[in-house]
Amino acid sequence: MTLRERATGWLRDRWPLRPERWRSPLRGPWLTAVFGLVLLVTLPIVVATGLLSYMAYGPQFGQAIPGDVGWLRLPVFDWPTHPAWLYQLTQGLHVGLGLVLVPVVLAKLWSVLPRLFAWPPVRSVKHLLERLSVLLLVGSILFEIGTGLLNIQYDYVFGFSFYTAHYYGAWVFIAALAAHLVIKFPALVAALKSRSLRTELRTSRADTQQEPQDGGLVATTPTKPTISRRGALGMVAGGSALVGVLTVGQTVGWLRPLALLVPRGLDPGDGPNGFPVNRTAAAAGITASDIGPMWTLQLAGATRVALDRARLAALPQHTATLPVACVEGWSTTQEWTGVRLRDLARLAGVDEPTAARVRSCERDGGFNSAMLQGNQVLDPDALLALRVNGADLSPDHGYPARVIVPALPGVHNTKWVRSIEFLA
Ligand SMILES: Nc1nc2c(c(=O)[nH]1)N[C@H]1C(S)=C(S)[C@@H](COP(=O)(O)O)O[C@H]1N2
Ligand SMILES: [Mo]
């Protein structure tokens, strides 16, 4: 034996994660491929809806984050106003599906642990490249899950912009996933064909046998199975179902008591204004005098107009049932009444606005202004709402007046509106 062989042999025997340590008889290419197939079908939906959310924020106005993404720029289009639940659907899918898939991602990682910690870590240049792509893949998905989870819990522990990090992290993940697919697709197909799902779902623990040795995933010194493959798949599916049940209440109102993961409390109170509040008037620094009897709405366009609340309430009113759909995944659909934005544009002398800038009474902070596209101003259901569910807006929901536009990301439905400037 050469010195080199002896040295690597010595290291290998002392490597705490050496192959003999992974002893589950369930690990094997087929099980890994089943988890892989589930993720292959679903993760692209999470990625696509995430990128759509970026588009919905209005990158053409520089109000999507990060603002300048260089050659990663996506095609610019006006985010539609129909169907009104479009952003509720895309963002609900992004956050909801992202959460539901966490158990599957963890199971997939568990299934390939022996390979992640294989010894020697690198055998050839090709092997090195393959391992680098896996490192980026695993690193980026854990990063996206971690930042996403922290964000929906409003826990900005990290010292960087969530949006910027989550956006670039997504592109690392997209690139690594593409490379992984090119490398692994033939193995995925072969592994899926190697066993029948139906048979596995009928196999008890006592009858559970290892997959044939593959020189990687399948244990060389297996223990007896403590669970069948059917049981393992059921456990992962059950974990996903549990997360799903704890999540749907974010959108489906009557299931809200089950939404244990929502950070803003389970009970938004009752009455016409009894629905979730993202930022309260107090948290936004809105004072009683900001929204008291002296409040007026300032309109600007071809002319300037100031309207107090009584004059606004005397204008033709329109009612529409529309969701507030927050980027953090929760949404709530209510019946809003107020003045059409296009009527206000006309009052300001702009019949065909190409955009509008809405400002709130807040002194500073990221939420005190939002740009709307022309189609978002002109939609017949786009409102400056004064009332919700038949009652005046509460201060927390934006009294004296708030914007509510179909399919608009929640954050741009500005509350406590002070001024609207219509651009021609
Ligand atoms: N002026 C102002 N408008 C705002 C906000 C804010 O903080 N300030 N929060 C936005 C966000 S992020 C969301 S999701 C919705 C929530 O509306 P709600 O609190 O009435 O449910 O309001 C939006 N409008
Ligand atoms: Mo939001």
Side-chain angles (χ1 to χ4, degrees), residues 275-279 284 324-328 330 332 336 360 362 367-368 396-398 402 410-416:
F275 58 95
V277 172
N278 192 29
R279 220 150 131 253
V324 171
C326 181
V327 68
E328 273 112 14
W330 64 268
T332 177
W336 309 89
S360 80
E362 282 144 300
F367 294 121
N368 64 357
D396 284 343
H397 285 303
R402 80 172 299 169
V411 62
H412 294 148
N413 287 314
T414 305
K415 305 195 275 192
W416 317 293

Side-chain angles (χ1 to χ4, degrees), residues 81-140:
T81 52
H82 284 284
W85 40 262
L86 180 65
Y87 190 72
Q88 186 178 33
L89 176 75
T90 60
Q91 196 57 14
L93 269 178
H94 181 67
V95 174
L97 196 54
L99 285 171
V100 161
L101 290 178
V102 170
V104 187
V105 169
L106 295 179
K108 171 83 162 59
L109 285 178
W110 171 86
S111 79
V112 296
L113 280 175
R115 208 167 265 159
L116 293 185
F117 297 106
W119 194 270
V122 174
R123 288 193 306 264
S124 62
V125 175
K126 179 167 168 273
H127 189 223
L128 173 71
L129 292 177
E130 189 184 320
R131 298 214 52 159
L132 273 177
S133 79
V134 170
L135 184 73
L136 288 177
L137 185 71
V138 175
S140 61

Side-chain angles (χ1 to χ4, degrees), residues 202-215:
R202 294 199 187 114
T203 306
S204 67
R205 184 185 62 170
D207 295 333
T208 298
Q209 303 285 330
Q210 274 199 300
E211 296 185 43
Q213 286 296 332
D214 71 331

Side-chain angles (χ1 to χ4, degrees), residues 219-382:
T220 48
T221 52
T223 55
K224 274 207 175 139
T226 53
I227 191 172
S228 61
R229 278 189 199 83
R230 166 177 74 187
L233 292 175
M235 210 167 75
V236 176
S240 288
L242 179 66
V243 176
V245 166
L246 296 181
T247 304
V248 284
Q250 296 204 69
T251 289
V252 184
W254 59 275
L255 287 173
R256 192 162 171 90
L258 291 176
L260 299 180
L261 303 176
V262 301
R264 286 287 191 260
L266 289 177
D267 181 16
D270 30 50
N273 279 277
F275 58 95
V277 172
N278 192 29
R279 220 150 131 253
T280 60
I286 298 291
T287 64
S289 70
D290 286 334
I291 58 174
M294 298 303 289
W295 175 86
T296 54
L297 172 73
Q298 310 290 324
L299 299 179
T303 57
R304 287 181 179 274
V305 185
L307 302 165
D308 63 13
R309 201 165 186 284
R311 281 190 61 198
L312 273 173
L315 293 173
Q317 303 288 303
H318 177 72
T319 297
T321 302
L322 298 172
V324 171
C326 181
V327 68
E328 273 112 14
W330 64 268
S331 55
T332 177
T333 303
Q334 308 295 337
E335 195 190 87
W336 309 89
T337 301
V339 185
R340 285 185 164 127
L341 291 179
R342 67 177 189 202
D343 292 350
L344 295 176
R346 223 165 275 149
L347 272 180
V350 185
D351 285 355
E352 292 289 328
T354 53
R357 177 177 291 285
V358 182
R359 285 184 211 277
S360 80
C361 298
E362 282 144 300
R363 271 138 216 95
D364 44 38
F367 294 121
N368 64 357
S369 98
M371 291 292 292
L372 301 176
Q373 303 157 183
N375 64 325
Q376 290 168 335
V377 177
L378 291 169
D379 189 285
D381 282 343

